Amino acid sequence: MSLSNALAKTSPDLTSRSIAYFSMEIALSPSVPTYSGGLGMLAGDTLRSAADTCRPMVAISLTHRRGYFRQILDAQGQQTEADVPWSPETTLPSANKVISLTMQGRQVLVRAWRFDVVGVTGHVIPVFLLDTDVEGNDEWDRRLTDHLYGGDTYYRLCQETVLGLGGVALLRALDCKPSVYHMNEGHAALLSIGLLEEHLAGNPLREAQEIDLEAVRRQCVFTTHTPVPAGHDQFGLDQMYQVLGHDRGAAIEHAGCLHNGLMNMTYIALRFSRYVNGVAMQHGKVSQLMFPDYKVHSITNGVHAGTWVSPHFQELLDAEISNWRTDNQYFRSVYGIDPARISACHFKGKQRLFDVLAKRTGHHFNPSVLTLGFARRVATYKRASLLLEDPARLVAIAEKIGGLQILYAGKAHPADGAGKSLIRDVYAAAARLNSSALKIHYLENYDWELGALLTQGVDVWVNTPRRPYEASGTSGMKAALNGVPSLSVLDGWWIEGCAENVTGWAIEDAETEAAEAANLYEKLEKHIAPMYANPAAWSRMQQHCIAINGSFFNTHRMLAQYVCNAYFPFPRLADAASPSVPVNEPAVQTLLNEPALA
Ligand SMILES: *Cc1c(COP(=O)(O)O)cnc(C)c1O
């Protein structure tokens, strides 16, 4: 995708935009480094679907002039990081507005760049990337919108202040007055304080009454994205008062948004939203237990089909199924396509992946050998090494089934020492185990392009999170759209997507990691390899993945659910107090007893 999309001369009409989508990160284009992983991809896919299906949306994020980071791995798998600088001024039109924000006891000027997400229909979703690198600002403030998830908590709180308060102010300066504000994760929660300031029109915030808070709540929707306690930003009260000032800080306290004596972005978002949801059915239930004072709904994530379906499949779909780009329900019609053609398309994606692998690394993988893919942010709960738990067994399986290839990828957060050591572990295992039967390779710098190549090219997508920490997961959905089944722990979206032996396989829950790994090996040896050896059965499974899961786990469906459940709910839905469904299982109880949040 080229940036030329973004250079449309005329600004779309902003006065008619009724939904404002706020997100700390948004993956807008492979060449714009404004995202780190799943959250930003989801935000970008949401906007791409909004553009394709003509939704009246506008979006706010930060410029992130130095990006997240490019991952460099040495021969031992030791990760180092490099900035990814980019230059919005040479690629994007300016919003032509500068607003001034009072924070840290001084004025901070904020401007914005406009990235237009253009749908297949021609409909445009304008995204405003806020930028504090403005002449006249304090030198430190000029760097505030540079590093996605960089810096300390003070830097982060300043960024979230720019995002929430700056975003609302910019929309007003642009004469844009949406009726719905969607906080995509707690980072954006301070938009509620911006709306409260506007509602009180100059009166002190700390005197806000319940009726004033209600006026803000009527406009706000909040999606929470992780049950991992460390994923919920919190700040000390000294920082809150330093950055936001006395009046806003006192208002946050008076509104009851502190949690355990800290300013907690999730609790601000909860308090100021009329609709709250988790990102898969189970995640909604787990979040309901975490936040028992609030009603938590569920809307299961999806991915943007036009972005993630391989070029070869796009060609096939364009030839066989018109309108799939605007209406993803047509993916069900894949049952009308000969499974052998589906397999042939997938095989081209596999060859393409291995060509890139050879070019980048000099490693040659064989396209007729069963290949597993495992790529995701490296966090301990994702358990990248479960697949390597019993190396002898893995080698024995590889020898028995005629060979096995495994491709890994994933970045660890620069400050996550435990995550970084997991990458070295995979490197060490690969060095020990690589043989004629088993090939393991860890690819550097997992990003949009590599994510697409992998989900379009491997045969089976593996996911091994510790339950119930995977809120949703979306890479397995990208795989499904390309006819790639998953082998995964029943967590997140896979609880909804797994039809055993039809769309993939579940790694069954067990007492110990060793027992879970044993179950994984058994599925591989007894179910997956035999089916892979039977091309007719395998291609039928590829067809099921697309027809059953592709037709549901897409952002066209997801966004339609946001529209009718969250943004513009049917009148009776808005008030219906549906009883929450209990989740009584040990894994959830363990999570609830973790410190940071509970
Ligand atoms: C899709 C995607 C993710 C999120 O996938 P998960 O299944 O949630 O791990 C992360 N990073 C990149 C580069 C992606 O394309």
Side-chain angles (χ1 to χ4, degrees):
M1 193 194 305
S2 90
L3 284 186
S4 57
N5 260 357
L7 288 168
K9 291 289 176 295
T10 53
S11 178
D13 178 23
L14 292 169
T15 56
S16 61
R17 300 291 159 141
S18 52
I19 308 156
Y21 186 86
F22 279 56
S23 184
M24 180 67 125
E25 50 168 313
I26 307 181
L28 293 168
S29 143
S31 57
V32 177
T34 51
Y35 69 95
S36 83
L39 183 71
M41 281 300 176
L42 180 82
D45 281 359
T46 300
L47 301 183
R48 285 181 278 280
S49 279
D52 285 346
T53 59
C54 298
R55 305 295 184 181
M57 217 180 227
V58 55
I60 298 284
S61 190
L62 304 184
T63 297
H64 304 302
R65 281 174 174 278
R66 311 198 76 78
Y68 183 50
F69 68 87
R70 186 164 60 82
Q71 177 193 50
I72 300 148
L73 295 172
D74 73 10
Q76 281 71 47
Q78 175 65 44
Q79 172 182 301
T80 47
E81 300 91 21
D83 280 355
V84 194
W86 72 292
S87 158
E89 41 276 269
T90 57
T91 44
L92 298 181
S94 161
N96 290 322
K97 293 280 177 204
V98 180
I99 56 114
S100 174
L101 203 55
T102 310
M103 55 185 283
Q104 313 168 86
R106 58 180 179 259
Q107 295 301 115
V108 176
L109 301 174
V110 184
R111 63 174 164 173
W113 306 98
R114 193 185 89 228
F115 186 104
D116 288 345
V117 177
V118 183
V120 289
T121 49
H123 184 71
V124 172
I125 306 296
V127 183
F128 293 100
L129 302 174
L130 305 176
D131 182 13
T132 60
D133 189 9
V134 180
E135 212 168 312
N137 274 345
D138 177 282
E139 278 307 308
W140 193 81
D141 293 342
R142 290 184 77 157
R143 306 275 69 87
L144 274 181
T145 49
D146 275 6
H147 287 279
L148 175 58
Y149 306 136
D152 55 10
T153 57
Y154 184 88
Y155 184 80
R156 176 77 68 91
L157 179 53
C158 286
Q159 288 191 322
E160 295 184 356
T161 302
V162 171
L163 177 67
L165 290 163
V168 170
L170 180 84
L171 289 176
R172 290 306 175 270
L174 293 167
D175 207 18
C176 180
K177 218 167 176 302
S179 53
V180 179
Y181 291 78
H182 188 166
M183 307 170 196
N184 187 45
E185 191 50 299
H187 311 126
L190 290 175
L191 74 83
S192 61
I193 302 303
L195 295 175
L196 186 62
E197 284 182 347
E198 177 174 51
H199 175 75
L200 290 173
N203 294 313
L205 298 193
R206 60 184 177 280
E207 286 167 18
Q209 302 298 306
E210 198 52 42
I211 191 173
D212 302 312
L213 306 187
E214 186 54 34
V216 175
R217 288 183 79 245
R218 271 202 299 273
Q219 305 173 67
C220 295
V221 166
F222 169 48
T223 302
T224 178
H225 285 267
T226 179
V228 178
H232 298 254
D233 280 338
Q234 45 190 11
F235 305 98
L237 296 194
D238 48 343
Q239 280 186 352
M240 174 175 84
Y241 280 107
Q242 236 178 315
V243 174
L244 292 177
H246 185 74
D247 191 37
R248 293 183 190 126
I252 288 169
E253 279 203 53
H254 291 172
C257 300
L258 301 190
H259 189 69
N260 293 337
L262 295 170
M263 173 193 184
N264 185 306
M265 297 302 279
T266 300
Y267 280 84
I268 295 176
L270 288 167
R271 180 81 168 98
F272 280 102
S273 295
R274 64 168 162 77
Y275 180 94
V276 176
N277 72 288
V279 291
M281 297 312 283
Q282 175 188 254
H283 177 237
K285 292 178 192 171
V286 170
S287 302
Q288 180 65 79
L289 292 174
M290 294 172 78
F291 313 119
D293 296 340
Y294 299 88
K295 173 68 197 160
V296 183
H297 303 261
S298 299
I299 295 178
T300 303
N301 279 345
V303 296
H304 181 252
T307 299
W308 296 107
V309 169
S310 77
H312 307 106
F313 269 118
Q314 296 206 11
E315 218 174 283
L316 179 64
L317 292 168
D318 285 338
E320 298 295 328
I321 305 171
S322 57
N323 292 349
W324 68 272
R325 291 173 191 274
T326 46
D327 183 351
N328 288 175
Q329 305 212 50
Y330 283 114
F331 275 103
R332 184 68 186 212
S333 312
V334 158
Y335 278 130
I337 300 177
D338 178 357
R341 293 177 69 194
I342 293 174
S343 276
C345 263
H346 179 267
F347 191 74
K348 286 183 193 156
K350 193 173 179 182
Q351 284 174 314
R352 183 158 157 260
L353 167 66
F354 291 173
D355 287 348
V356 172
L357 175 74
K359 216 182 296 153
R360 285 195 196 174
T361 70
H363 283 76
H364 293 275
F365 273 38
N366 180 347
S368 44
V369 170
L370 177 63
T371 303
L372 313 182
F374 183 104
R376 49 194 37 88
R377 184 168 57 87
V378 186
T380 44
Y381 81 86
K382 303 245 189 191
R383 300 191 301 183
S385 54
L386 194 77
L387 193 52
L388 308 171
E389 170 93 13
D390 183 348
R393 174 98 197 261
L394 190 62
V395 170
I397 293 172
E399 284 168 354
K400 180 182 160 197
I401 68 176
L404 181 67
Q405 303 172 139
I406 306 175
L407 281 172
Y408 273 99
K411 295 174 177 176
H413 185 278
D416 180 8
K420 288 183 177 181
S421 93
L422 286 176
I423 301 177
R424 292 196 301 273
D425 291 348
V426 175
Y427 259 70
R432 264 198 322 275
L433 300 177
N434 270 334
S435 62
S436 56
L438 179 62
K439 287 203 160 33
I440 302 174
H441 189 76
Y442 201 110
L443 279 153
E444 194 175 64
N445 201 37
Y446 180 44
D447 64 0
W448 180 328
E449 278 165 331
L450 186 54
L453 281 168
L454 285 166
T455 52
Q456 295 164 8
V458 301
D459 295 304
V460 178
W461 196 249
V462 179
N463 193 15
T464 53
R466 188 151 68 87
R467 293 175 54 239
Y469 290 83
E470 182 87 314
S472 165
T474 52
S475 53
M477 302 176 184
K478 300 166 192 168
L481 270 168
N482 286 285
V484 173
S486 281
L487 167 61
S488 172
V489 169
L490 282 175
D491 200 13
W493 82 284
W494 192 233
I495 297 170
E496 298 159 59
C498 178
E500 187 77 10
N501 284 313
V502 178
T503 58
W505 304 268
I507 299 166
E508 282 155 30
D509 208 25
E511 287 289 306
T512 62
E513 300 222 333
E516 270 185 66
N519 186 255
L520 185 164
Y521 296 133
E522 169 149 343
K523 292 278 162 93
L524 193 54
E525 181 178 353
K526 304 276 165 56
H527 299 271
I528 299 174
M531 194 188 286
Y532 183 75
N534 175 348
W538 193 262
S539 59
R540 186 76 179 151
M541 169 169 250
Q542 292 176 316
Q543 187 182 42
H544 288 315
C545 289
I546 303 173
I548 298 176
N549 282 344
S551 62
F552 184 82
F553 296 101
N554 57 72
T555 36
H556 283 16
R557 183 271 314 156
M558 181 199 81
L559 189 57
Q561 287 199 289
Y562 275 101
V563 169
C564 75
N565 292 280
Y567 299 158
F568 308 113
F570 302 143
R572 285 184 40 204
L573 270 184
D575 308 311
S578 45
S580 51
V581 188
V583 188
N584 284 318
E585 55 162 301
V588 173
Q589 296 311 319
T590 310
L591 183 146
L592 294 174
N593 289 328
E594 280 192 27
L597 191 70

